[in-house]
Amino acid sequence: MSDADLPMGGGSVTTVPDTAVGPAPRRAARIRAGLLYLVLGLPLAIPAFVLAVAGFAAGVGTIVVWVGVPILALTLRASRGFAELERRATERATGRPLPPYHYRTADGRGLGRIFRSLGDPQSWRDLVHAIVAFPVRIATFVIGVVWSVAGLGATLYVLWEWSLPRSDDEYKGLYGLLTQSASRLGDITLNTVVGVLMLVTLPWVVRGLVAFRAGLARGLLTNQTAALKARAEQLAAGRRAAVQAEAQTLRRLERDIHDGPQQRLVRLNMDLETVTRRLDDDPDKARSLVDEALTQSREALAELRALSRGIAPPILADRGLGAALAAAAARSPVQVSLDVALPQGQRLAAAVENTAYFVVTESLTNVAKHARASLCTVTVSVDAERVLVQVRDDGIGGAHLGKGHGLSGLSDRLSAVEGVLDVVSPAGGPTVVTAEIPLAGLGG
């Protein structure tokens, strides 16, 4: 995946609207950005080329003694970093985002993880780019710098031509070399005309050089087919996780209803049948049975309300995530410190609110059951791209995402909305559960 372990990459570029500035400032800005792109390309190309060639040679040469395997892995990792710098620089220079790219996830640990990282096609494309781009960047650097500096120098030739050393009997210069005749006026005129032509054509030259280098980056540092395939696989995995999470929720709801309200309703029905038989011959006994039936009905109603709150409480739909989390914190047997920073007067998408609420309530339930904690801190914040939910307790630690544990359903629930779950829970605590829920694609 990309450096952020996402299946698709490619930066977003903010451009200035055409109506914000005039044509001349826009052209000047593009020329400056292009020249900066060409000039800074060479200093980055040198270490990228040296590391790529030296690392590849050292890795291949020592692979028979296994030392080359980590060397190659480190070389590919370094090439990936230089490739990311080139993508960002190309997007800034062109004002357009590059197509997406994809890095495979290297799962596992140790040597197996290293071997899997060596099988990533995009990392090898990054390595090839570091080598191939070196002469390209040298050429574009030289042409761009020489064209701009020589054009400016020739245009201003009249101001500094007097300082050139010449013999007293002849006047040699560009004009003299071309015409084999000495003429100071002709030399100044010719140099000035050539300089003006070079400066006039500089935007097209810079644009062509930038396009050539950007085309190389687009060809080697992006892979839209692989990125789209990985995106499709991620969406399919998210859909399977959503189905699995929904099935687990339904099974748990069915079990809770069977073990709680259903048993109370069965007993309530039996008590009412007994009441109908005792009304005539033993009214006092019937009255006590009616009282028990009322108690059973209240308890069944309370359990049904608790189950509904675990799914999607009415307060969440009516008043939003902040009020729902405050109610959940008030019900928790463990003291909860709640810090919720949400946009004022603006509701998040229903899928986002439901997922965030589920993460907090499930985490609080696990804290109450297993953590032996005295304080739990819940923090919810929102930025332009995501909702960050963090639940921290001062308990005994040891929580993890294994099957059969309380947090096992959270990862599937977050996968359904392309979220990410992280659990840090060393022995002795504290336990920190962090969930990132993206806002993009989940409605308004």
Side-chain angles (χ1 to χ4, degrees):
M1 292 190 179
S2 67
D3 289 343
D5 287 333
L6 296 175
M8 296 181 70
S12 59
V13 179
T14 303
T15 58
V16 179
D18 290 344
T19 57
V21 293
R26 284 202 308 273
R27 284 195 297 269
R30 284 198 295 267
I31 295 174
R32 286 195 300 269
L35 285 175
L36 187 64
Y37 176 61
L38 299 176
V39 170
L40 295 182
L42 185 58
L44 289 177
I46 295 173
F49 176 81
V50 171
L51 285 174
V53 172
F56 180 76
V60 172
T62 58
I63 199 170
V64 293
V65 292
W66 298 103
V67 178
V69 174
I71 293 177
L72 283 176
L74 291 174
T75 302
L76 292 179
R77 189 66 186 181
S79 298
R80 180 189 294 195
F82 284 111
E84 188 62 27
L85 292 176
E86 178 68 6
R87 292 188 191 101
R88 302 287 83 79
T90 301
E91 289 174 341
R92 284 193 296 269
T94 60
R96 296 187 302 273
L98 289 173
Y101 56 94
H102 168 65
Y103 292 108
R104 293 178 182 175
T105 302
D107 298 323
R109 295 181 178 179
L111 195 60
R113 182 184 180 92
I114 294 176
F115 274 112
R116 276 186 286 272
S117 68
L118 294 180
D120 181 21
Q122 185 56 56
S123 295
W124 288 102
R125 291 161 65 94
D126 296 344
L127 180 69
V128 173
H129 178 270
I131 298 173
V132 175
F134 182 65
V136 173
R137 292 186 187 182
I138 292 178
T140 55
F141 173 89
V142 171
I143 296 174
V145 171
V146 169
W147 200 277
S148 56
V149 173
L152 181 61
T155 302
L156 302 177
Y157 183 72
V158 66
L159 301 179
W160 57 271
E161 60 84 23
W162 57 268
S163 62
L164 296 177
R166 297 185 180 90
S167 59
D168 297 334
D169 57 343
E170 62 177 343
Y171 187 93
K172 289 291 186 182
L174 180 61
Y175 181 83
L177 293 175
L178 294 176
T179 64
Q180 299 301 316
S181 61
S183 172
R184 181 176 184 181
L185 179 60
D187 188 51
I188 293 175
T189 303
L190 180 59
N191 278 276
T192 303
V193 171
V194 171
V196 170
L197 289 176
M198 294 182 72
L199 290 182
V200 169
T201 57
L202 180 62
W204 287 275
V205 173
V206 170
R207 187 179 303 174
L209 295 174
V210 169
F212 183 70
R213 181 177 155 190
L216 181 63
R218 187 176 292 105
L220 289 176
L221 301 184
T222 66
N223 192 340
Q224 188 167 9
T225 302
L228 293 177
K229 181 179 178 181
R231 176 64 171 170
E233 292 175 354
Q234 185 189 43
L235 292 176
R239 184 172 64 251
R240 290 192 298 268
V243 172
Q244 183 178 359
E246 190 67 23
Q248 291 176 351
T249 301
L250 290 176
R251 286 195 297 269
R252 185 177 64 179
L253 181 61
E254 180 183 13
R255 183 183 65 248
D256 292 343
I257 291 177
H258 179 271
D259 296 341
Q262 181 175 327
Q263 298 298 325
R264 295 190 184 279
L265 291 175
V266 169
R267 181 177 175 182
L268 174 61
N269 183 64
M270 295 173 61
D271 289 344
L272 291 177
E273 290 179 350
T274 304
V275 168
T276 58
R277 291 194 301 268
R278 296 291 182 89
L279 277 176
D280 295 332
D281 57 350
D282 193 353
D284 293 335
K285 181 64 174 178
R287 186 177 296 107
S288 64
L289 290 174
V290 170
D291 292 338
E292 292 180 7
L294 288 173
T295 301
Q296 294 293 331
S297 65
R298 294 190 190 98
E299 292 177 353
L301 181 60
E303 290 183 355
L304 287 173
R305 286 174 175 169
L307 290 175
S308 68
R309 284 195 298 266
I311 303 172
I315 190 174
L316 179 61
D318 297 338
R319 298 175 55 190
L321 181 60
L325 293 181
R331 294 192 304 268
S332 174
V334 179
Q335 181 182 355
V336 177
S337 174
L338 191 62
D339 182 12
V340 180
L342 297 174
Q344 291 291 336
Q346 182 180 356
R347 291 288 298 273
L348 301 174
V352 175
E353 290 190 338
N354 289 340
T355 304
Y357 179 81
F358 180 83
V359 170
V360 173
T361 54
E362 188 70 13
S363 299
L364 292 179
T365 300
N366 285 292
V367 170
K369 288 182 178 180
H370 310 294
R372 303 179 193 172
S374 59
L375 176 64
C376 185
T377 302
V378 177
T379 305
V380 180
S381 59
V382 182
D383 57 25
E385 298 179 352
R386 64 178 183 171
V387 176
L388 183 65
V389 179
Q390 188 175 87
V391 182
R392 180 187 183 97
D393 67 73
D394 59 355
I396 60 175
H400 57 86
L401 297 173
K403 293 296 182 182
H405 291 263
L407 298 175
S408 59
L410 285 181
S411 182
D412 290 338
R413 180 65 67 96
L414 284 165
S415 296
V417 293
E418 302 182 41
V420 179
L421 181 69
D422 179 62
V423 178
V424 178
S425 184
T431 297
V432 181
V433 177
T434 305
E436 296 183 15
I437 307 170
L439 297 177
L442 296 179

